[in-house]
Amino acid sequence: MAVRPTDKNDRATIRRTLHYFWGVTRQKMGAFVLSIVSSVGYIALLTFANTYVMGLIVDRVQASPVSADQVLPVFGPYVLALLVVNAVGQTLSKLQDYSVYKLEINGDYQLSRLCFDTLSNQSMTFHNSRFGGSLVSQTSRFVSGYSGLVDVVTYSLWPTLASIVLTVGILAPIAPLFVAILVVMLVLYVVIAYGMYRRILPLSAEASRAQNKLSGVLSDAVTNILAVKTYGREDYERGLFTTADREAMAAENINMRATMRRGFTTSALITVIMFVVSIFVVGGNAWFGISAGTLVMMFTYTYNLTMRFNYFNSMMQRINRALGDAAEMTRVLDEPTLVADDEDAKPLEVTEGRIDFENLRFRYPDAPKDDYVFEDLNLHIPAGQRVGLVGRSGSGKTTLTKLLLRLDDVQEGRVLVDGQDVSHCTQQSLRRQVAYVPQEALLFHRSIRENIAYGKPDATEEEIRRAAEEANALEFIERLPDGFDTMVGERGVKLSGGQRQRVAIARAILVDAPILVLDEATSALDSESEALVQGALENLMRGRTSIVVAHRLSTVASLDRIVVLAHGEVVEDGTHHELVERGGEYASLWNRQTGGFLE
């Protein structure tokens, strides 16, 4: 597997990741400071103060024998000191845990919300080119990366730094030569270890990327499980999953082997350091007149420090893992938002519902440079008019509705609603003025009641029932065991296609928006259901500006006006009868229908 070397992009990603992590940490500065104080205090007391008192006890024992009746008077103060040191140290240990909890709980909440807001505000072009499962995995890894970094910093980094400062500070006056040699060797250790683990970071990022891809493959197969089963493609999907699984395992193995090789190198350096310590311990008294208690203290301090550095291997690995896990989502967070509100964007106010497409020039951001859907398209829709958009697949019908909803932004030209440029209005206010029913009903794994009331969550029970009745959905809903409380399953899979569509139409009816967009809204209905729902849609469209996208030309024949698109241009415009009599593109499409569908 090819591995990207560490480059400027990797370093920039690390800086941006740390920027996001520090941003949420600053919100809990008190907990952050407490994590430092408690970590340093915990080590200072339970490792250094404990050992220091024990060294004093050893020196006192070595100085002269103590009779049985003098043990408590002589050693009582030392015992009391140990009791206080351990009690305070254990308290600091719990405060350390508390600070970590506070930082992680806040970080998980804030970073999850940051990811959600970023993903929900991205354009449909962004989402159409990515696995939803991979984005979920990237979000999870980004958040867990923060928690992992908080853990390693609090429980490893601060204690290690404190151990260095305290070891040098306490032993330098006693054994300056020993401390000088120790510092040189530890600096050498850090330089070598950091250099090695800096080269491992791309391996951790690659392993995380492979895991995210694996999650995407799994999500894609599970989401489309009906297609997998009905076409008997379980073995094929298993093959795709196995391939992605092997790639993920190979990336993890490469990362593991690189980490282990560097681990052996750092362990060898620790062995050399302990060898030097042993020499000083055995000869310290003879060569430098150092007391037994001080030698015990020197050995314990240095041994604790070297063990801390021995865990440097694990610490760097965990830091690499945290930063590697967060890398992909960091890049997503840094991607420009293709459709964004202006800083001074104002809410859209619809009084009439007039729509104008002026000199539109548009291509999808991921399309070839000269592959434009529209070039200088103009279309005026008066307020309250019911307009059908027809044309062969790829003519730009659905794209035009997406530009009205501002799911994508035009490169040139304007989309106006009542004279207001939608690109200068807030997206939420725009979409709340447009009731949209797509070809495939968009349902959540929630109750039917919640799905119908999604655009108007404060709707009364009576309003919800009335909307369901007008959409010809009430009858089938009441036949369900749980009625309006029935859970519809992911994407509404527990309902038939026609039932899903009627629930979506009921949602649009309940919203009662001044502009209505129906994108093949009746295509999933059988003839009987279509006839019943068509009447409800006629009532719904009355008095509203309505755009109806259809391949089934019978659904638009009765509308006020029909606009025919071909190759991104308006080629015909008129009523059904006018266009049929004209004998042009629409008449040709009408005559070539089979069962009312455009071939």
Side-chain angles (χ1 to χ4, degrees):
M1 176 184 290
V3 176
R4 300 179 300 109
T6 301
D7 55 19
K8 291 182 179 179
N9 290 333
D10 292 319
R11 293 193 292 272
T13 300
I14 293 172
R15 287 194 297 271
R16 290 296 297 162
T17 300
L18 294 176
H19 168 77
Y20 288 119
F21 286 178
W22 176 241
V24 298
T25 301
R26 281 189 307 181
Q27 297 176 5
K28 293 294 179 182
M29 187 57 69
F32 178 67
V33 172
L34 179 61
S35 72
I36 299 175
V37 173
S38 59
S39 298
V40 172
Y42 169 73
I43 289 297
L45 292 173
L46 296 188
T47 299
F48 287 86
N50 256 342
T51 303
Y52 182 80
V53 175
M54 288 303 300
L56 295 177
I57 292 174
V58 170
D59 284 341
R60 181 63 187 84
V61 170
Q62 188 182 34
S64 61
V66 178
S67 60
D69 60 334
Q70 291 299 308
V71 169
L72 290 180
V74 173
F75 293 104
Y78 298 111
V79 173
L80 181 60
L82 288 174
L83 177 62
V84 172
V85 164
N86 280 274
V88 177
Q90 291 298 332
T91 300
L92 290 173
S93 172
K94 300 313 168 192
L95 289 174
Q96 185 186 42
D97 294 338
Y98 171 78
S99 66
V100 169
Y101 285 139
K102 291 292 288 185
L103 289 172
E104 290 183 359
I105 289 172
N106 177 70
D108 289 355
Y109 171 75
Q110 296 293 347
L111 293 174
S112 295
R113 191 171 66 172
L114 171 65
C115 294
F116 179 85
D117 288 344
T118 300
L119 295 177
S120 62
N121 287 322
Q122 270 292 6
S123 68
M124 291 307 299
T125 299
F126 169 91
H127 287 285
N128 290 339
S129 60
R130 286 169 171 81
F131 278 130
S134 290
L135 292 174
V136 172
S137 176
Q138 289 167 24
T139 299
S140 176
R141 287 175 175 273
F142 184 74
V143 174
S144 64
Y146 175 77
S147 296
L149 198 60
V150 168
D151 281 347
V152 72
V153 167
T154 304
Y155 294 119
S156 296
L157 182 59
W158 298 139
T160 299
L161 295 176
S163 296
I164 295 172
V165 173
L166 290 169
T167 299
V168 172
I170 294 174
L171 297 184
I174 302 171
L177 178 60
F178 169 75
V179 170
I181 296 174
L182 179 64
V183 168
V184 170
M185 298 185 71
L186 291 178
V187 168
L188 180 64
Y189 177 97
V190 170
V191 170
I192 294 174
Y194 175 75
M196 292 189 300
Y197 279 94
R198 185 179 172 188
R199 290 193 292 271
I200 293 179
L201 182 59
L203 302 179
S204 297
E206 194 69 32
S208 179
R209 190 176 298 109
Q211 287 289 344
N212 289 330
K213 179 182 177 182
L214 179 64
S215 297
V217 171
L218 175 61
S219 174
D220 199 36
V222 172
T223 300
N224 296 287
I225 193 64
L226 181 60
V228 175
K229 288 185 173 295
T230 52
Y231 283 89
R233 297 287 277 173
E234 290 90 346
D235 290 343
Y236 175 76
E237 294 299 328
R238 180 180 176 80
L240 292 179
F241 181 82
T242 300
T243 299
D245 193 33
R246 286 174 177 167
E247 290 177 356
M249 185 170 63
E252 290 287 2
N253 281 327
I254 291 174
N255 186 38
M256 179 270 293
R257 286 193 292 270
T259 301
M260 291 302 297
R261 285 195 298 269
R262 284 152 180 79
F264 283 123
T265 302
T266 55
S267 295
L269 290 173
I270 290 294
T271 302
V272 172
I273 293 173
M274 287 308 300
F275 174 73
V276 173
V277 172
S278 300
I279 292 176
F280 267 89
V281 169
V282 298
N285 182 264
W287 299 334
F288 306 107
I290 300 174
S291 68
T294 303
L295 289 175
V296 169
M297 191 167 61
M298 287 174 57
F299 177 83
T300 304
Y301 288 171
T302 309
Y303 177 77
N304 171 73
L305 185 58
T306 54
M307 287 302 98
R308 289 279 172 192
F309 273 79
N310 197 37
Y311 294 140
F312 191 84
N313 183 25
S314 173
M315 182 170 69
M316 291 303 298
Q317 182 183 3
R318 290 162 63 193
I319 290 175
N320 275 341
R321 170 66 70 183
L323 296 176
D325 283 351
E328 280 201 272
M329 181 49 67
T330 296
R331 296 188 183 98
V332 169
L333 294 174
D334 284 345
E335 281 196 33
T337 303
L338 297 178
V339 180
D341 286 340
D342 292 340
E343 289 186 6
D344 57 348
K346 295 179 173 57
L348 177 70
E349 296 181 3
V350 179
T351 55
E352 300 176 2
R354 184 177 71 256
I355 301 173
D356 289 284
F357 299 95
E358 292 186 351
N359 308 114
L360 291 194
R361 182 177 172 86
F362 173 75
R363 69 175 177 84
Y364 286 102
D366 53 355
K369 188 174 181 179
D370 297 323
D371 186 13
Y372 281 89
V373 180
F374 300 120
E375 291 192 80
D376 198 30
L377 180 138
N378 289 275
L379 180 64
H380 171 67
I381 301 176
Q385 190 174 70
R386 302 173 305 161
V387 178
L389 296 181
V390 302
R392 292 184 173 86
S393 295
S395 60
K397 304 183 298 297
T398 296
T399 300
L400 200 62
T401 64
K402 288 182 177 179
L403 295 178
L404 171 62
L405 287 161
R406 210 181 160 212
L407 299 177
D408 284 293
D409 270 338
V410 297
Q411 279 79 41
E412 295 179 24
R414 299 188 302 170
V415 179
L416 305 175
V417 175
D418 284 346
Q420 301 163 81
D421 190 337
V422 298
S423 66
H424 300 314
C425 299
T426 62
Q427 295 175 62
Q428 284 195 4
S429 68
L430 164 65
R431 293 163 192 162
R432 285 172 180 166
Q433 300 292 336
V434 181
Y436 176 64
V437 182
Q439 182 174 7
E440 182 180 355
L442 306 175
L443 301 186
F444 297 89
H445 181 31
R446 300 169 192 172
S447 69
I448 291 178
R449 176 184 289 100
E450 289 175 286
N451 273 286
I452 292 177
Y454 189 72
K456 188 180 179 182
D458 58 345
T460 65
E461 188 72 16
E462 183 181 350
E463 289 175 324
I464 294 172
R465 288 182 63 85
R466 187 185 307 120
E469 185 176 10
E470 291 181 8
N472 192 35
L474 184 60
E475 183 180 355
F476 88 78
I477 292 173
E478 290 185 330
R479 288 201 308 266
L480 296 172
D482 296 322
F484 281 90
D485 294 320
T486 300
M487 301 297 289
V488 303
E490 186 177 10
R491 295 176 292 110
V493 294
K494 291 184 179 181
L495 303 179
S496 70
Q499 289 172 338
R500 288 197 298 270
Q501 203 69 351
R502 279 178 276 172
V503 170
I505 292 171
R507 178 193 294 166
I509 291 172
L510 184 61
V511 167
D512 195 26
I515 298 174
L516 178 66
V517 174
L518 304 175
D519 189 354
E520 294 289 346
T522 61
S523 64
L525 303 179
D526 55 58
S527 298
E528 182 180 355
S529 296
E530 180 189 9
L532 293 171
V533 171
Q534 198 68 43
L537 292 179
E538 288 290 339
N539 293 331
L540 176 62
M541 286 188 285
R542 188 175 296 118
R544 292 179 174 82
T545 307
S546 304
I547 298 177
V548 182
V549 176
H551 280 92
R552 186 183 291 179
L553 300 186
S554 60
T555 62
V556 298
S558 63
L559 298 182
D560 302 327
R561 176 184 174 198
I562 296 172
V563 174
V564 184
L565 295 176
H567 308 295
E569 297 180 352
V570 175
V571 294
E572 288 187 313
D573 189 345
T575 66
H576 168 75
H577 295 295
E578 290 172 347
L579 296 180
V580 169
E581 290 179 1
R582 193 175 299 170
E585 177 75 10
Y586 180 81
S588 174
L589 297 176
W590 181 260
N591 292 330
R592 293 176 59 187
Q593 287 183 344
T594 300
F597 283 100
L598 179 62
E599 291 184 343

